[in-house]
Amino acid sequence: MKIYLKIWRQKDADTRGAMVDYTLDGVEADMSFLEMLDVLNEKLVSKGEEPVEFDHDCREGICGTCSLMINGRPHGPESLITVCQLHMRSFNDGDTIVIEPWRAKAFPVIKDLIVDRTSFDRIQQAGGYISVNTSGNPVDANAIPIEKEMADKSFNAAACIGCGACVAACKNASAMLFTSAKVSQFALLPQGRVEAAERVQNMVRQMDLEGFGNCTNTGACEIECPKGISLENIARMNREYLSATVKG
Amino acid sequence: MGVMDSKVPSGPLAEKWTKHKNEIDLVNPANKRNIDVIVVGTGLAGGSAAATLAELGYNVKTFCYQDSPRRAHSIAAQGGINAAKNYQGDGDSVYRLFYDTVKGGDYRSREANVYRLAEVSTNIIDQCVAQGVPFAREYGGLLDNRSFGGVLVSRTFYAKGQTGQQLLLGAYSAMNRQIQRGKIKSYTRHEMLDLVLVDGKARGIIARDLVSGEIERHSAHAVVLATGGYGNLFFLSTYCMGANVMAAWKAHKRGAFFANPCFTQIHPTCIPVSGDHQSKLTLMSESLRNDGRIWVPKRLEDAEAIREGRLKPTQLSEEERDYYLERRYPAFGNLVPRDVASRAAKERCDAGFGVNKTGEAVYLDFDSAIMRYGREKALTSGMKDPDDATVRKMGEEVVEAKYGNLFQMYEKIVDQNPYKTPMMIYPAVHYTMGGLWVDYNLMTTVPGCYAAGEANFSDHGANRLGASALMQGLADGYFVLPYTIGDYLSDDIRTGPISIESAEFDAAEKNVRDRIQKLMSANGANSVDYYHKKLGKIMWNKCGMARNARELKEAIKEIAELRKDFWDNVKIPGSADAKNQELEKAGRVADFMELGELFAMDALHRNESCGGHFREEYQTKEGEALRDDENFKYVAAWEYKGDPSKAELHKEDLEYENIKVKTRSYK
Ligand SMILES: Cc1cc2nc3c(=O)[nH]c(=O)nc-3n(C[C@H](O)[C@H](O)[C@H](O)COP(=O)(O)OP(=O)(O)OC[C@H]3O[C@@H](n4cnc5c(N)ncnc54)[C@H](O)[C@@H]3O)c2cc1C
Ligand code: SF4
Ligand code: FES
């Protein structure tokens, strides 16, 4: 296949970026999207040009590192996958593909297609944990039975890979889906209940401090989330937040 | 330099760890505040160690090359984590877990370490559940278990196919709690480029800020390396793209012995290679072997017809299929250990029975499981005579609940529906049992430099059983290292902060800068990947699943030549004072080139077959691995002498006081 690429190039955070055109021949359907970029980069390097930088690591959809906006959609056209799992068979010979970084104030560009997502870490540090000591826990694991349905729900929330697609998909660049997934995981477990009120307040405060936008219930986040994190979590977080602030 | 004293405590096996903990020196909590520890790596081993050390009161600095500690490669682990809880009442015990692990490792691991691992395994589960790790549960609310290759009990805890992710998020949340308290300072997008020794002790690191390109000095009273495995040396592997040996290799060059580099695990159930552009291989969790049956056609002409697309696997009847694992190993069947399953697949494919275009794939078939589960489900839902289609549908639902995300992953990559047609799998490089040599306290031969998790060598021997790496990483990080390190640090309570303004730091920084300069100025014509792929081919063809003396000798020569060519002809665009992924890769590949040579030397000197190390010259009549306990029951620990080819071999004899060393059989 022959593919026409328009890629966002930006030297660093302080330099203005621009779209640059590339043409790539010999693209095979079996290649992953990132392997296609590898091939482009190989060509650029052999010409002595700087390769296009993009974030990636596991290349199997679990680490949450890869983050490309493809034709205006986070992680590309297919649903429920990350861009490292996207294959070129999803495109046709002669297609033009536009590739940009995540766009959000709280995710500044570092270089080319790489953005800084440390704001997500700071939201977690504000309370995304259960305050239990790591050295020698005395309670036997089966002494805390958990209803299967609750455990599964908690697991579904915990499946968030922290990729940031929800933020990139949102017209307000809101981090509600991510934050609510983290809040929900613990809120649904007996171990996490004790400090639930404090947790939700602290995490929401940090989320606002980082400069993420407000949620206006558009639902684009849920559609673009590679892990199917549900809007239910946002509703749950809102309930948790409300009752925490009422209790004050 | 570097005396190898394993420091294994005396006394009965079951009491060693308790006795040792009672005897080692402790640091008073007030003094811990004056002691700094650097932890490089934030995977399960590093993340859990950092959180626990910080909680104990030490000042901790963590480093990782990803943008967040939560993205360390531990996140990718799918199958599960072992613990001797005996929740299923199927006769499991600490001793049985210990025994299975030592046997599974082909008697090349250190007995006392493995026993300790089995002993603390139960605490790990308690710890993780307290942290909110959402393990799979049964309807009664209790934890669920499954089994893995090489064992006959169900002791594996799991969270769907995302166990590593959930465990890592647990460790990361424990880290976050300490970051919030100011006890951990986390440096992300930072890469350790050298280890700094002051008066012979590890006292800091040189790191590069991968965003600004700045070279930084960081000092501490001790340095913990939890930097994962080096399987990326093969280019194609199940590792993440950034996995490297850099930190461990730099420590090796500063005096840390490198143990058993050739012990590499080839995992039997990975998605086969599809073409030249491929950048990595994807694992299909071994847990699939609980229900999937592995086969190839019985007749060569059928295999050929399948390869040419004239025949579909579903058209072959039960009698026309060769379930070769069930045939050869009736006791363990499809659940034989990984080395055995991998070799058996290679043997069938080499004999011409491979089923994909390149002839390097076998089938992993869920058809019987789907029908079996379907019938069971139909019965329990009160159906008397369900037709096949209904049974199949119900069965598919059960299988989906168990393995759904793995099936989806397979379909995305291969573009075939594994519910309808069997998966194709082939072995791939997956885990490195070798690593930095450590004593019972997890200290390397460099005083004050520790190694934890996959980066060390001690617990898995020549082959690792499934679900035991996660266990080892967390055991090291939560329960072993935080105690044993106190023994060393108790001498440092009056030392005070370590200055970064010293001749040693100057020299190490200069060393790092010179090397970067050298890489940037090699103005050749080839990309870094060009060299990495070449190295990978040599490794896979000559140091891979089967090795022989002639090819190993060739590999040593070829790698040395390739290394020379690399330094002359590599091309790295961009600048060293900015974000530069080509430069990052170049540094990693340069180290792989040196390690590759040592790897082949290690494989060449070990004239026996054991676990993942299969020397063609040493096999039984039935093609099974032939160990030589008389001559090779030792750990090979290599000391750096200026060039990999000059490395000096040291041996730690392995004593088995509690286990009778037997021929490993899974028949
Ligand atoms: C696909 C897959 C599935 C697996 N499934 C299972 C399973 O089901 N059960 C099981 O028990 N095991 C499994 N394993 C093995 C297991 O996941 C790993 O062995 C284990 O997680 C390694 O943990 P670690 O903490 O030692 O290292 P890692 O998690 O690899 O962490 C390495 C850390 O070191 C950092 N680092 C490396 N080099 C540097 C440097 N120079 N400077 C700074 N930082 C550096 C990285 O940033 C990272 O934080 C699996 C492995 C793979 C690849
Ligand atoms: S909620 Fe979904 S889109 Fe958002 S960070 Fe998590 S996995 Fe990514
Ligand atoms: S690279 Fe890890 S999710 Fe895509």
Side-chain angles (χ1 to χ4, degrees), chain B residues 98-150:
Chain B
F98 155 73
Y99 178 82
D100 285 344
T101 309
V102 173
K103 175 189 173 196
D106 227 345
Y107 306 94
R108 293 293 176 264
S109 49
R110 193 188 283 145
E111 195 184 56
N113 287 54
V114 180
Y115 194 88
R116 173 174 65 188
L117 176 65
E119 194 179 335
V120 304
S121 68
T122 56
N123 299 18
I124 298 175
I125 304 303
D126 298 340
Q127 180 61 49
C128 295
V129 167
Q131 279 168 355
V133 170
F135 284 120
R137 290 189 179 255
E138 292 170 343
Y139 281 99
L142 302 180
L143 293 157
D144 193 12
N145 294 105
R146 58 189 176 198
S147 53
F148 256 55

Coordinates of all heavy atoms in Angstrom, one line a residue, chain B residues 98-150:
Chain B
F98 N 8.1 -24.7 47.0 CA 9.6 -24.7 47.0 C 10.1 -25.9 46.1 O 10.9 -25.6 45.2 CB 10.1 -24.9 48.4 CG 11.5 -25.5 48.5 CD1 12.6 -24.7 48.2 CD2 11.6 -26.7 49.0 CE1 13.9 -25.3 48.3 CE2 12.9 -27.3 49.2 CZ 14.0 -26.6 48.8
Y99 N 9.6 -27.1 46.3 CA 10.0 -28.2 45.5 C 9.8 -28.1 44.0 O 10.7 -28.3 43.2 CB 9.3 -29.5 46.1 CG 9.7 -30.7 45.3 CD1 10.9 -31.4 45.6 CD2 9.0 -31.2 44.3 CE1 11.3 -32.5 44.9 CE2 9.4 -32.3 43.5 CZ 10.6 -32.9 43.8 OH 11.0 -34.0 43.1
D100 N 8.5 -27.7 43.7 CA 8.2 -27.5 42.3 C 9.1 -26.5 41.6 O 9.5 -26.6 40.5 CB 6.7 -27.0 42.1 CG 5.7 -28.1 42.4 OD1 6.1 -29.2 42.4 OD2 4.5 -27.7 42.6
T101 N 9.4 -25.4 42.4 CA 10.3 -24.3 41.8 C 11.7 -24.8 41.6 O 12.3 -24.5 40.5 CB 10.2 -23.1 42.7 OG1 8.8 -22.8 43.0 CG2 10.9 -21.9 42.1
V102 N 12.2 -25.5 42.5 CA 13.6 -26.0 42.3 C 13.7 -27.0 41.2 O 14.6 -26.9 40.3 CB 14.2 -26.6 43.7 CG1 15.5 -27.2 43.4 CG2 14.3 -25.5 44.7
K103 N 12.7 -27.9 41.2 CA 12.7 -28.9 40.1 C 12.4 -28.2 38.8 O 13.2 -28.5 37.8 CB 11.6 -29.9 40.4 CG 11.4 -31.0 39.3 CD 10.1 -31.8 39.5 CE 9.8 -32.7 38.3 NZ 8.5 -33.3 38.3
G104 N 11.5 -27.3 38.7 CA 11.2 -26.6 37.5 C 12.4 -25.9 37.0 O 12.6 -25.8 35.8
G105 N 13.2 -25.4 37.9 CA 14.4 -24.7 37.5 C 15.6 -25.6 37.1 O 16.7 -25.1 37.0
D106 N 15.3 -26.9 37.0 CA 16.3 -27.9 36.7 C 17.5 -27.9 37.6 O 18.6 -28.1 37.2 CB 16.8 -27.7 35.2 CG 16.8 -29.1 34.5 OD1 16.7 -30.1 35.2 OD2 16.9 -29.0 33.2
Y107 N 17.2 -27.7 38.9 CA 18.3 -27.7 39.9 C 19.5 -26.8 39.7 O 20.6 -27.2 39.8 CB 18.7 -29.2 40.1 CG 17.6 -30.1 40.4 CD1 17.0 -30.8 39.4 CD2 17.1 -30.2 41.7 CE1 15.9 -31.6 39.6 CE2 16.0 -31.1 42.0 CZ 15.4 -31.8 40.9 OH 14.3 -32.6 41.2
R108 N 19.1 -25.6 39.3 CA 20.2 -24.6 39.1 C 19.9 -23.3 39.8 O 20.5 -22.3 39.4 CB 20.5 -24.4 37.6 CG 21.0 -25.6 36.8 CD 22.4 -26.0 37.2 NE 22.9 -27.2 36.6 CZ 22.9 -28.4 37.1 NH1 22.3 -28.6 38.3 NH2 23.4 -29.4 36.5
S109 N 19.0 -23.4 40.8 CA 18.8 -22.2 41.6 C 19.3 -22.4 43.0 O 19.7 -23.5 43.4 CB 17.3 -21.9 41.6 OG 16.6 -23.1 41.9
R110 N 19.3 -21.4 43.8 CA 19.8 -21.5 45.1 C 18.7 -21.9 46.1 O 17.8 -21.1 46.3 CB 20.5 -20.2 45.6 CG 21.4 -20.3 46.8 CD 21.8 -19.0 47.3 NE 22.9 -18.4 46.6 CZ 23.0 -17.1 46.4 NH1 22.2 -16.3 46.9 NH2 24.1 -16.6 45.7
E111 N 18.9 -23.0 46.7 CA 17.9 -23.6 47.5 C 17.3 -22.7 48.6 O 16.1 -22.5 48.8 CB 18.5 -24.9 48.2 CG 17.5 -25.8 48.8 CD 18.2 -27.0 49.5 OE1 19.0 -26.8 50.4 OE2 17.9 -28.2 49.2
A112 N 18.2 -22.0 49.3 CA 17.8 -21.2 50.5 C 16.9 -20.0 50.0 O 16.0 -19.6 50.6 CB 19.0 -20.7 51.3
N113 N 17.3 -19.5 48.9 CA 16.5 -18.3 48.3 C 15.1 -18.8 47.9 O 14.2 -18.1 48.2 CB 17.2 -17.7 47.1 CG 18.5 -16.9 47.5 OD1 19.3 -17.5 48.2 ND2 18.5 -15.7 47.1
V114 N 15.1 -19.9 47.3 CA 13.8 -20.4 46.8 C 12.9 -20.8 47.9 O 11.7 -20.5 47.9 CB 14.0 -21.6 45.8 CG1 12.6 -22.1 45.3 CG2 14.9 -21.3 44.7
Y115 N 13.4 -21.3 49.0 CA 12.6 -21.7 50.1 C 12.0 -20.4 50.7 O 10.8 -20.3 51.1 CB 13.4 -22.4 51.2 CG 12.4 -23.0 52.2 CD1 11.8 -24.3 52.0 CD2 12.0 -22.3 53.3 CE1 10.9 -24.8 52.8 CE2 11.1 -22.8 54.2 CZ 10.5 -24.1 53.9 OH 9.6 -24.6 54.8
R116 N 12.9 -19.4 50.8 CA 12.4 -18.1 51.4 C 11.3 -17.5 50.5 O 10.3 -17.0 51.0 CB 13.6 -17.1 51.5 CG 13.1 -15.7 51.9 CD 14.3 -14.8 52.1 NE 15.1 -14.6 50.8 CZ 16.2 -13.9 50.8 NH1 16.8 -13.5 51.9 NH2 16.9 -13.8 49.6
L117 N 11.5 -17.6 49.2 CA 10.4 -17.2 48.3 C 9.1 -17.8 48.5 O 8.1 -17.2 48.6 CB 10.9 -17.4 46.9 CG 10.0 -17.1 45.7 CD1 9.7 -15.6 45.6 CD2 10.6 -17.6 44.4
A118 N 9.1 -19.2 48.7 CA 7.9 -19.9 48.9 C 7.3 -19.5 50.3 O 6.1 -19.4 50.4 CB 8.2 -21.4 48.9
E119 N 8.2 -19.3 51.2 CA 7.7 -18.9 52.6 C 7.0 -17.6 52.6 O 6.0 -17.4 53.2 CB 9.0 -18.9 53.4 CG 8.7 -18.8 54.9 CD 10.1 -18.8 55.7 OE1 11.1 -19.3 55.1 OE2 10.1 -18.3 56.8
V120 N 7.5 -16.6 51.9 CA 6.9 -15.2 52.0 C 5.8 -15.1 50.9 O 5.0 -14.1 51.0 CB 7.9 -14.1 51.8 CG1 9.0 -14.1 52.9 CG2 8.5 -14.0 50.4
S121 N 5.6 -16.1 50.1 CA 4.6 -16.0 49.0 C 3.2 -15.7 49.6 O 2.4 -14.9 49.0 CB 4.6 -17.2 48.1 OG 4.1 -18.3 48.9
T122 N 2.9 -16.3 50.7 CA 1.5 -16.1 51.2 C 1.3 -14.7 51.7 O 0.2 -14.2 51.5 CB 1.3 -17.1 52.4 OG1 2.3 -16.9 53.4 CG2 1.3 -18.5 51.9
N123 N 2.3 -14.1 52.3 CA 2.2 -12.7 52.7 C 1.9 -11.7 51.5 O 1.3 -10.7 51.7 CB 3.5 -12.1 53.3 CG 4.0 -12.9 54.5 OD1 3.5 -14.0 54.7 ND2 4.9 -12.3 55.3
I124 N 2.4 -12.1 50.3 CA 2.3 -11.2 49.2 C 0.8 -11.1 48.9 O 0.3 -10.0 48.6 CB 3.0 -11.8 47.9 CG1 4.5 -11.9 48.2 CG2 2.7 -11.0 46.7 CD1 5.3 -12.6 47.1
I125 N 0.1 -12.2 48.9 CA -1.4 -12.1 48.5 C -2.1 -11.3 49.6 O -2.9 -10.4 49.3 CB -1.9 -13.5 48.4 CG1 -1.1 -14.4 47.4 CG2 -3.4 -13.5 48.1 CD1 -1.1 -13.8 46.0
D126 N -1.8 -11.5 50.9 CA -2.4 -10.7 51.9 C -2.2 -9.2 51.7 O -3.0 -8.4 51.8 CB -1.9 -11.1 53.3 CG -2.1 -12.6 53.6 OD1 -3.0 -13.1 53.0 OD2 -1.4 -13.1 54.5
Q127 N -0.9 -8.9 51.4 CA -0.5 -7.5 51.2 C -1.3 -6.9 50.0 O -1.8 -5.8 50.2 CB 1.0 -7.5 50.9 CG 1.5 -6.1 50.7 CD 1.3 -5.2 51.9 OE1 1.7 -5.6 53.0 NE2 0.8 -4.1 51.7
C128 N -1.3 -7.6 48.9 CA -2.0 -7.0 47.7 C -3.4 -6.9 47.9 O -4.0 -5.9 47.5 CB -1.7 -7.9 46.5 SG 0.1 -7.9 46.1
V129 N -4.1 -7.8 48.6 CA -5.5 -7.7 48.8 C -5.8 -6.5 49.7 O -6.7 -5.7 49.5 CB -6.1 -9.0 49.4 CG1 -7.5 -8.8 50.0 CG2 -6.1 -10.1 48.3
A130 N -5.0 -6.3 50.7 CA -5.1 -5.1 51.6 C -5.0 -3.8 50.8 O -5.6 -2.8 51.2 CB -4.1 -5.2 52.8
Q131 N -4.1 -3.8 49.8 CA -4.0 -2.6 49.0 C -5.1 -2.4 48.0 O -5.1 -1.4 47.3 CB -2.6 -2.8 48.2 CG -1.4 -2.5 48.9 CD -0.2 -2.9 48.2 OE1 -0.3 -3.5 47.1 NE2 1.0 -2.6 48.7
G132 N -6.0 -3.4 47.9 CA -7.1 -3.2 46.9 C -6.8 -3.8 45.6 O -7.5 -3.4 44.6
V133 N -5.9 -4.7 45.4 CA -5.7 -5.4 44.1 C -6.9 -6.3 43.9 O -7.2 -7.1 44.7 CB -4.4 -6.2 44.1 CG1 -4.3 -7.1 42.9 CG2 -3.2 -5.3 44.2
P134 N -7.7 -6.0 42.8 CA -8.9 -6.8 42.5 C -8.6 -8.1 41.9 O -8.9 -8.3 40.7 CB -9.7 -5.9 41.6 CG -8.6 -5.1 40.8 CD -7.4 -5.0 41.7
F135 N -8.2 -9.1 42.7 CA -8.0 -10.5 42.2 C -9.4 -11.1 41.8 O -10.4 -10.7 42.4 CB -7.4 -11.3 43.3 CG -5.9 -11.1 43.5 CD1 -5.4 -10.7 44.7 CD2 -5.0 -11.3 42.5 CE1 -4.1 -10.5 44.9 CE2 -3.6 -11.2 42.7 CZ -3.2 -10.7 43.9
A136 N -9.3 -12.1 41.0 CA -10.5 -12.8 40.6 C -11.1 -13.5 41.9 O -10.3 -14.0 42.7 CB -10.2 -13.9 39.5
R137 N -12.4 -13.5 41.9 CA -13.1 -14.2 43.1 C -14.1 -15.1 42.6 O -14.6 -15.1 41.6 CB -13.7 -13.1 44.0 CG -12.6 -12.3 44.6 CD -13.2 -11.3 45.7 NE -12.0 -10.6 46.2 CZ -11.5 -10.9 47.4 NH1 -12.1 -11.8 48.2 NH2 -10.4 -10.2 47.9
E138 N -14.5 -16.0 43.6 CA -15.5 -17.0 43.3 C -16.8 -16.4 43.8 O -16.8 -15.4 44.5 CB -15.2 -18.3 44.0 CG -14.0 -19.0 43.4 CD -13.6 -20.2 44.3 OE1 -14.0 -20.2 45.5 OE2 -12.8 -21.0 43.7
Y139 N -17.9 -17.1 43.5 CA -19.2 -16.5 44.0 C -19.3 -16.4 45.5 O -20.1 -15.5 46.0 CB -20.4 -17.3 43.3 CG -20.6 -16.8 41.9 CD1 -20.0 -17.6 40.8 CD2 -21.2 -15.6 41.6 CE1 -20.2 -17.1 39.5 CE2 -21.3 -15.2 40.3 CZ -20.8 -15.9 39.3 OH -20.9 -15.4 38.0
G140 N -18.6 -17.2 46.2 CA -18.7 -17.1 47.7 C -17.9 -15.9 48.2 O -17.9 -15.7 49.4
G141 N -17.2 -15.1 47.3 CA -16.5 -14.0 47.8 C -15.0 -14.2 48.1 O -14.3 -13.3 48.4
L142 N -14.7 -15.5 48.0 CA -13.2 -15.8 48.3 C -12.4 -15.8 47.0 O -12.9 -15.8 45.9 CB -13.2 -17.2 48.9 CG -14.0 -17.3 50.2 CD1 -13.8 -18.7 50.8 CD2 -13.5 -16.3 51.3
L143 N -11.1 -15.8 47.2 CA -10.2 -15.7 46.0 C -10.2 -17.0 45.2 O -10.3 -18.1 45.7 CB -8.8 -15.4 46.5 CG -8.7 -14.0 47.2 CD1 -7.5 -13.9 48.1 CD2 -8.6 -12.9 46.1
D144 N -10.1 -16.8 43.9 CA -10.1 -17.9 42.9 C -8.6 -18.2 42.6 O -7.8 -17.4 42.6 CB -10.9 -17.5 41.7 CG -11.2 -18.7 40.8 OD1 -11.0 -19.8 41.3 OD2 -11.6 -18.5 39.7
N145 N -8.4 -19.5 42.2 CA -7.1 -19.9 41.7 C -7.1 -20.7 40.5 O -8.2 -21.3 40.2 CB -6.4 -20.8 42.8 CG -6.1 -20.1 44.1 OD1 -6.8 -20.2 45.0 ND2 -5.1 -19.2 44.0
R146 N -6.0 -20.7 39.7 CA -5.9 -21.6 38.6 C -4.5 -22.3 38.6 O -3.7 -21.9 39.5 CB -6.2 -20.9 37.3 CG -5.4 -19.7 36.9 CD -6.0 -19.0 35.7 NE -5.3 -17.8 35.3 CZ -5.9 -16.9 34.5 NH1 -7.1 -17.0 34.1 NH2 -5.2 -15.8 34.2
S147 N -4.2 -23.1 37.6 CA -2.9 -23.7 37.7 C -2.1 -23.4 36.4 O -2.6 -22.9 35.4 CB -3.0 -25.2 37.9 OG -3.8 -25.8 36.9
F148 N -0.8 -23.6 36.5 CA 0.1 -23.2 35.5 C 1.0 -24.4 35.2 O 1.1 -25.4 35.9 CB 1.0 -22.0 36.0 CG 0.6 -20.7 35.4 CD1 -0.7 -20.2 35.5 CD2 1.6 -19.9 34.8 CE1 -1.1 -19.0 35.0 CE2 1.2 -18.7 34.2 CZ -0.1 -18.3 34.3
G149 N 1.8 -24.3 34.1 CA 2.7 -25.3 33.7 C 3.7 -25.8 34.8 O 4.2 -25.0 35.6
G150 N 3.9 -27.1 34.8 CA 4.9 -27.7 35.7 C 4.5 -28.0 37.1 O 5.2 -28.4 37.9

